Amino acid sequence: MMEFKIGTEQREMIAAVRQLAQNEFKQDAPKWMDGTFPWPNIKKLAGLGVLGMSVPEEYGGLGLSILDSALILEEIAKVDYVTAMAVLGEAGVQTRVISHYAPKAIKERILPRVISGDCILAICMTEPHAGTDVANYRTNTKRHGNHLVLNGTKTLISRAAEAGMFVVFTRVDGKPGREDIGCVLVEQGTPGLSVTGTYHTMGGENLHEVQFNDCELPPENLVIETDGFKKLLTAFNTQRCLNPSISLGLAEGAFDEAVRYVNDRKLFDKSIADFQGIRWKFADMFKDIEAGRGLLYRACLTANPFPDPFMAATAKVFCNEMSLRVTSEAVQVHGGYGFTDEYPVSRLYRGARYGSLGGGSSESLRDLIGKRVLADAGGVDGIMGLDTY
C-alpha cells in the first residue's frame, strides 16, 4: 500500500520555497508577463539548491523524487506561472533524460551547470507539422563518419532563447515510424543551431522556433537510440506529473486570492463570503483541488524511476481541467475586478490555460486512458487501478 508522508527535510525545503515565492516572487510576478525570463528568481532558487532537485547526488544534486519536484513546482506556481515554467526544465524530463541516459562525461559537464542555474534546459518535441503525431517527425540525425549531423525544425519551444542545452527528439538515420525516434543533446553555440520565431503566450512566457541546419554533434550526444521511443515516452511521464503540479499550484493560488477577496468585500452591508451561493462555489473549488491533489500525488508515487503512464495521464487530464474551473471561478467571485491585470487571479487564469496543451493534449491522453480502462476493466479485486498502490 502506498503511503504519502512528508519528511522533515521535505517540509523544510517546501517551506523555504514557499517563503521565497510568497515574499519575493509574488510581488514581482507581473514583471515577467512581457516574456522577460525571470533570471533573478532562477538564481535565488539555485541558491536554495532547488535546481538540482532532479540531479543525482553524485553530480552534486539533491536526487529528489518526482513527488518532491511536484511539491516544489506547486509552491512556485501558486504565485508565478512564468517562474514555475522556467524551473520545469530543470525539474522535468530534460534533466532526468540526461541523468539516466547520457554518458558520464556529459553528466559531469552539464549537470553542475544545471544546479547553479547557469544552464537552462529546453526540450524540443513539437514540429510545425507534428506534435502528438511523433511518427511524422522530420527532424533527423544522421551518422556521418565520426560524428552526427542533425537537421530539422522544432516549434513552440519553452526556454529556447535562454537554453544552454537542447534535448531534441529526433529520427535516427531516417528510419520511418515511431519506434526509431531517438534523442540527441545539442549545446548552445553549436554551428547551425538558431533560435528564430518568437510566440508570446497568454500566460506570459515566450515560445520559440528552433532550427538545426547541419549541426555536427559528437557521437556520444546520441543519448537514446535503442528502444528509443519507449524510453522517451517512459521518461516523458515525468512531464505528465510536473505539468499538472503547476496546474494544481495555479488553482490553489487562485483559491487563496478568492478567499481573501470575498472575506474583505462587502455587499448589502455584509461580507460576500456570507452568501450561500458564494460558499457553494468555494466548496466546489476545494473538493476539485483536493481530488486533483490526491490523483497527482498518487501518480508521482508510482515513479520507479519514472511514473506509471496510466496514472500520470489520469492526473494530468484531471488537474489541467480542474485548474481551469477553479481559476475561472476565482475570477468570477472577484466580479469585474477579476478581469483586470491588477488582481493576480487574472494572471493565474491565463497560466492555467496552458496545462491541457503541453506535455500531451487532454484529447490524446483521454484516448490512452480509455484504452487502458477498456482493456483492464474489473481491475484487481474489482477495483480499477488498485494495482498501482
Side-chain angles (χ1 to χ4, degrees), residues 242-285:
L242 300 184
N243 166 299
S245 74
I246 293 175
S247 292
L248 177 61
L250 291 165
E252 291 175 296
F255 180 85
D256 291 343
E257 291 294 332
V259 168
R260 279 190 286 272
Y261 181 82
V262 299
N263 280 324
D264 292 341
R265 177 72 169 170
K266 304 292 183 183
L267 187 64
F268 304 121
D269 296 325
K270 64 178 181 178
S271 168
I272 62 173
D274 292 331
F275 288 89
Q276 185 183 62
I278 294 294
R279 292 199 300 267
W280 286 8
K281 286 181 181 294
F282 281 90
D284 286 339
M285 285 191 278

Side-chain angles (χ1 to χ4, degrees), residues 32-73:
W32 319 122
M33 292 299 291
D34 64 355
T36 302
F37 192 77
W39 280 114
N41 294 352
I42 291 296
K43 290 300 183 180
K44 289 172 184 175
L45 289 166
L48 290 178
V50 165
L51 301 187
M53 56 186 153
S54 297
V55 176
E57 293 181 27
E58 63 184 297
Y59 298 103
L62 299 177
L64 298 182
S65 69
I66 290 174
L67 175 60
D68 292 317
S69 297
L71 292 169
I72 289 169
L73 284 172

Side-chain angles (χ1 to χ4, degrees), residues 277-355:
I278 294 294
R279 292 199 300 267
W280 286 8
K281 286 181 181 294
F282 281 90
D284 286 339
M285 285 191 278
F286 178 78
K287 66 179 177 61
D288 257 3
I289 288 171
E290 290 307 310
R293 187 193 312 282
L295 277 172
L296 175 59
Y297 292 1
R298 178 180 165 192
C300 290
L301 286 169
T302 65
N304 184 31
F306 301 114
D308 174 77
F310 174 68
M311 289 307 304
T314 303
K316 184 180 184 300
V317 171
F318 186 88
C319 286
N320 291 163
E321 296 178 354
M322 172 276 292
S323 188
L324 274 173
R325 291 193 298 271
V326 171
T327 55
S328 178
E329 284 287 51
V331 169
Q332 187 69 23
V333 300
H334 276 72
Y337 290 116
F339 198 59
T340 69
D341 288 337
E342 280 66 34
Y343 284 77
V345 289
S346 169
R347 183 167 32 81
L348 296 168
Y349 175 64
R350 280 176 280 174
R353 191 61 192 86
Y354 163 79

